[in-house]
Amino acid sequence: MPEALILGAGGFLGLHALDALRALGEEPRCGRRARSNVLGLRSRKARMASADLDDEASLVEAMRGCDRVLHLAGHYPRTSLDPATATRTGLEQSRRVLNAAAAAGVQRLVYVSSTATVAPNPEGLSDERHSYPSPPSHGLYHALKWQMERLFLDEQRFEVRVACPSGCLGPGDLRVGTSALLIALARGMDPPHPDGTVALVDARDVGQGLARLLLAERAPKRLILSAENHRLHELLCSVAPRYGVPEPSPALSAAEAIARADEEEARSVRENRRPALSREIVDLVVHGQPLSARLAEEQLGLRWTPLSQTLDALDAWARRLSLIPSAKDQPPCSAPPTRPASSASSPT
Amino acid sequence: MLSPAHQTRILGILTDLTAIPSAEIQPGDRLSEDLGMDSVTRMELVSMLAEQFDLDIELEEAVAVEDVRGILALAEARLGHG
């Protein structure tokens, strides 16, 4: 019987997608590289299959017998320091996935892209109709995500659907991606940051959205998954009491933040550590825009978890892993509600 | 104490991940500062340990491992003294 394969199943969003697919009665095959963290897949007793984006034959083998593929393993460069290599890697891996899916007889592939590919709408909220005509010049991350998404959208051999989740927050973000600034703030580190619009969404809602997009008979070709729009500095100030820490220092200008991130990334490579501020986060914030995900609500029946509840879940998880101090180590405070600058929709 | 065979296999995983010869790895070596492992590679280390020895390891235990002694202790706690 045909089944589904998840590429990137062991990652932050992959595990939430796996949980959501199981809740819908599916038992997908989970692709994994030889060297990857599969603790989450092991604890879920998931069925694993070797699948390496640098080895097309392994992808064909993993996809054999699958009619649907959920691809969350698109290249995410660790830094923006080497655009040529990152672009080549991202595009070559994307072509391998597409060619393998065609060779294995896959009928539908859902590719997880990014809201970095969504263009501004001068009249208000951006939605699925807003695309850049050519790669945006905001930095490597935007340009690469645009080029990769274009490859998938142009595919003609089988059906492709593209999901564009905004900044994902929630339990399980082991690589501390979107939540990096929040975690740093909670640790009392006064994180350097630019200001701009950030669109955010609960990773568990994204998992549900991806599962429904994979299974639905009819769905849009391109779909934004996003819940709330905020101004970053205002958001960090509003959540500081939640962690019993002072409000962060004022936001850096865009030029200052870009220079700081470039410097941090170069140092992080030399010292083999995470940058305190990464270039792709700066670019996403500086060029961020308010989004509407009404189509996902209407077409897939999705409802968005309010940010305050997402933060509660993120905090509980991060405290369990000692990523942030436990609540008893922080002064008591009443966390104010986080009010979106403008809602992508009405959270329910 | 872990059996020599188990210790050798665990040091082999460390060598695979760091390219540092097993003979040069000491129990007191810190995974990040001394062996140059970032947070992602540290998780891969614990994951590979779980896979090679078929162990169930919680994320909380994985993130708590900071040095070679810690990974050996985690293995010893699960494998016993075989």
Side-chain angles (χ1 to χ4, degrees):
Chain A
M1 191 173 124
E3 56 185 315
L5 170 74
I6 306 178
L7 294 173
F12 175 36
L13 291 180
L15 290 172
H16 287 302
L18 169 61
D19 292 343
L21 280 165
R22 281 181 163 179
L24 293 172
E26 292 281 321
E27 187 54 55
R29 208 178 286 176
C30 295
R32 50 84 43 92
R33 288 176 294 117
R35 253 187 70 172
S36 59
N37 173 11
V38 293
L39 291 177
L41 294 175
R42 284 180 60 86
S43 69
R44 286 168 171 78
K45 311 288 182 209
R47 290 185 306 132
M48 290 186 252
S50 293
D52 187 337
L53 268 62
D54 292 322
D55 176 2
E56 194 169 311
S58 77
L59 292 170
V60 175
E61 192 54 37
M63 292 178 188
R64 205 174 295 286
C66 293
D67 61 346
R68 287 151 295 155
V69 172
L70 174 57
H71 174 27
L72 299 110
H75 186 52
Y76 194 123
R78 287 185 62 194
T79 70
S80 297
L81 299 173
D82 186 355
T85 302
T87 303
R88 189 173 59 249
T89 301
L91 294 179
E92 284 178 358
Q93 290 184 344
S94 298
R95 289 191 188 98
R96 282 189 205 107
V97 170
L98 288 166
N99 290 338
V106 169
Q107 291 171 26
R108 177 184 302 150
L109 184 146
V110 171
Y111 166 63
V112 181
S113 182
S114 161
T115 49
T117 64
V118 181
N121 173 11
E123 296 172 0
L125 301 179
S126 293
D127 61 31
E128 289 79 0
R129 293 167 298 182
H130 300 99
S131 297
Y132 294 99
S134 57
S137 56
H138 306 328
L140 166 65
Y141 183 78
H142 283 74
L144 176 59
K145 288 295 160 183
W146 185 94
Q147 292 176 81
M148 289 165 65
E149 183 178 302
R150 180 55 49 189
L151 272 183
F152 284 93
L153 286 172
D154 287 346
E155 176 59 50
Q156 298 294 322
R157 292 170 287 182
F158 47 87
E159 182 189 11
V160 170
R161 297 171 178 174
V162 171
C164 298
S166 60
C168 298
L169 294 174
D173 189 6
L174 266 179
R175 296 195 180 201
V176 193
T178 302
S179 53
L181 288 172
L182 290 171
I183 299 275
L185 181 77
R187 295 169 71 127
M189 294 164 73
D190 191 13
H193 61 282
D195 200 14
T197 298
V198 286
L200 299 170
V201 65
D202 191 302
R204 296 166 297 183
D205 296 343
V206 172
Q208 282 202 30
L210 296 175
R212 293 186 197 187
L213 193 57
L214 187 68
L215 300 179
E217 279 307 309
R218 296 167 63 87
K221 176 96 173 157
R222 185 169 183 247
L223 195 66
I224 291 172
L225 302 172
S226 188
E228 297 182 14
N229 302 303
H230 291 265
R231 296 294 296 181
L232 178 60
H233 183 72
E234 195 176 288
L235 175 67
L236 292 175
C237 289
S238 75
V239 299
R242 169 186 280 270
Y243 305 113
V245 297
E247 289 187 357
S249 298
L252 304 171
S253 70
E256 287 170 336
I258 288 171
R260 178 75 174 267
D262 287 347
E263 194 179 295
E264 269 292 319
E265 289 198 341
R267 190 182 306 155
S268 75
V269 170
R270 286 196 305 272
E271 299 175 4
N272 193 32
R273 60 165 179 77
R274 287 181 62 91
L277 185 64
S278 66
R279 177 63 193 271
E280 103 272 5
I281 292 288
V282 169
D283 289 337
L284 283 165
V285 174
V286 168
H287 300 286
Q289 57 218 303
L291 303 173
S292 166
R294 190 166 298 279
L295 193 60
E297 297 170 22
E298 292 171 355
Q299 298 287 315
L300 297 182
L302 290 172
R303 296 293 178 266
W304 311 110
T305 303
L307 180 60
S308 57
Q309 290 179 22
T310 302
L311 291 177
D312 288 344
L314 169 62
D315 292 351
W317 175 82
R319 288 193 166 108
R320 215 171 59 240
L321 269 64
S322 304
L323 295 175
I324 62 176
S326 63
K328 65 178 169 51
D329 298 330
Q330 293 178 327
C333 63
S334 59
T338 46
R339 200 168 45 216
S342 63
S343 288
S345 59
S346 304
T348 53
Chain B
M1 285 287 288
L2 273 175
S3 72
H6 285 155
Q7 283 202 37
T8 301
R9 281 176 68 186
I10 294 167
L11 291 175
I13 298 173
L14 280 161
T15 296
D16 285 347
L17 291 171
T18 64
I20 297 172
S22 298
E24 295 177 18
I25 297 174
Q26 302 299 317
D29 284 345
R30 295 165 298 178
L31 301 180
S32 301
E33 295 86 345
D34 300 322
L35 302 185
M37 301 173 80
D38 62 17
S39 58
V40 173
T41 315
R42 287 164 55 178
M43 294 304 296
E44 289 173 359
L45 166 66
V46 180
S47 179
M48 288 170 77
L49 179 79
E51 287 216 284
Q52 288 211 13
F53 294 96
D54 194 23
L55 305 175
D56 289 326
I57 298 176
E58 299 296 326
L59 278 179
E60 290 88 337
E61 297 172 291
V63 298
V65 174
E66 293 183 343
D67 51 26
V68 175
R69 191 172 282 117
I71 194 78
L72 293 173
L74 179 58
E76 184 177 343
R78 294 305 168 81
L79 292 167
H81 303 276

